[in-house]
Amino acid sequence: AKAQSSQTLSLAVESQQECEAHSRTRRAAPPGAMPPKKLPPALRKIANQLALYAAAYGIAIAILGIFGAYMYNFEKKAMHAVYGGCGCLALMAICSAVIRFGNARGVVFVGVMTSLVFELLFLVVFVVQAIRSARNPEKRDRALHFVVNALVSLVALVLGAKPVVPQLLPVLKKKAMEFMMPKK
């Protein structure tokens, strides 16, 4: 039993030495490079901005939802505006927290893209609702409210996408080139 435990110990030491030797043979990062998964300070600053935009958008849509229900004296038929606004606030608060407190690039990227997708989705919903309510004489008074919601969504989408697009263009260009000219 004693010989077996010393043999196991020597195998563990050899294995650890091999791992250390392997880690030394890996390519070294260029001088001044950040670890690939961590967010560098410049991108952290952009991420903080995007988290602020997402939170502000959620708050704005929640306020507009409450105002929309207020316009109809909080009648049951108008309460969906409050529920939708508060739901948007909850979604954007989660996205904002993921963006703000995420340390890994992938986590922050998911938070940013999720918030942008939701903003685009809300923009489409508000535009469709504005068109539908403008065509219906009974609901024409709601059209302006939906147009304002759509404009707020458009501004939020543009502000959120503006710092993201320059980061994504090189990656998209590389992926497109790999797709068009696959390596053999």
Side-chain angles (χ1 to χ4, degrees):
K2 193 174 190 182
Q4 189 177 6
S5 66
S6 67
Q7 186 181 14
T8 306
L9 181 63
S10 68
L11 285 175
V13 169
E14 286 177 22
S15 176
Q16 183 179 2
Q17 288 171 347
E18 287 176 10
C19 288
E20 288 173 1
H22 176 70
S23 67
R24 284 189 296 254
T25 60
R26 283 188 281 169
R27 260 188 5 216
M34 295 293 292
K37 294 188 183 238
K38 291 289 182 184
L39 211 58
L43 289 181
R44 171 49 54 204
K45 186 176 179 183
I46 293 170
N48 290 343
Q49 255 184 344
L50 293 172
L52 178 67
Y53 293 156
Y57 173 70
I59 292 168
I61 293 297
I63 290 170
L64 286 170
I66 293 168
F67 180 73
Y70 170 77
M71 287 178 13
Y72 295 97
N73 296 322
F74 296 98
E75 293 175 13
K76 186 173 175 122
K77 68 177 184 176
M79 288 304 289
H80 69 279
V82 174
Y83 305 143
C86 291
C88 175
L89 175 60
L91 285 171
M92 290 297 127
I94 291 168
C95 290
S96 180
V98 167
I99 296 167
R100 174 65 183 93
F101 299 112
N103 287 326
R105 285 180 179 223
V107 172
V108 173
F109 179 75
V110 167
V112 169
M113 295 313 291
T114 303
S115 71
L116 291 176
V117 167
F118 278 127
E119 290 170 8
L120 179 62
L121 177 69
F122 289 134
L123 174 64
V124 169
V125 167
F126 292 138
V127 167
V128 168
Q129 289 286 56
I131 292 169
R132 288 175 64 191
S133 61
R135 290 182 179 168
N136 187 344
E138 296 172 3
K139 298 181 180 182
R140 192 164 285 148
D141 56 339
R142 298 181 193 176
L144 181 61
H145 185 253
F146 287 124
V147 167
V148 171
N149 283 341
L151 288 175
V152 168
S153 297
L154 180 65
V155 168
L157 187 61
V158 168
L159 286 175
K162 189 176 179 183
V164 174
V165 170
Q167 300 291 326
L168 287 179
L169 282 180
V171 175
L172 293 175
K173 185 177 178 183
K174 181 180 175 187
K175 295 286 185 186
M177 292 304 289
E178 288 174 359
F179 180 74
M180 300 292 269
M181 296 178 210
K183 295 179 181 178
K184 292 182 182 183

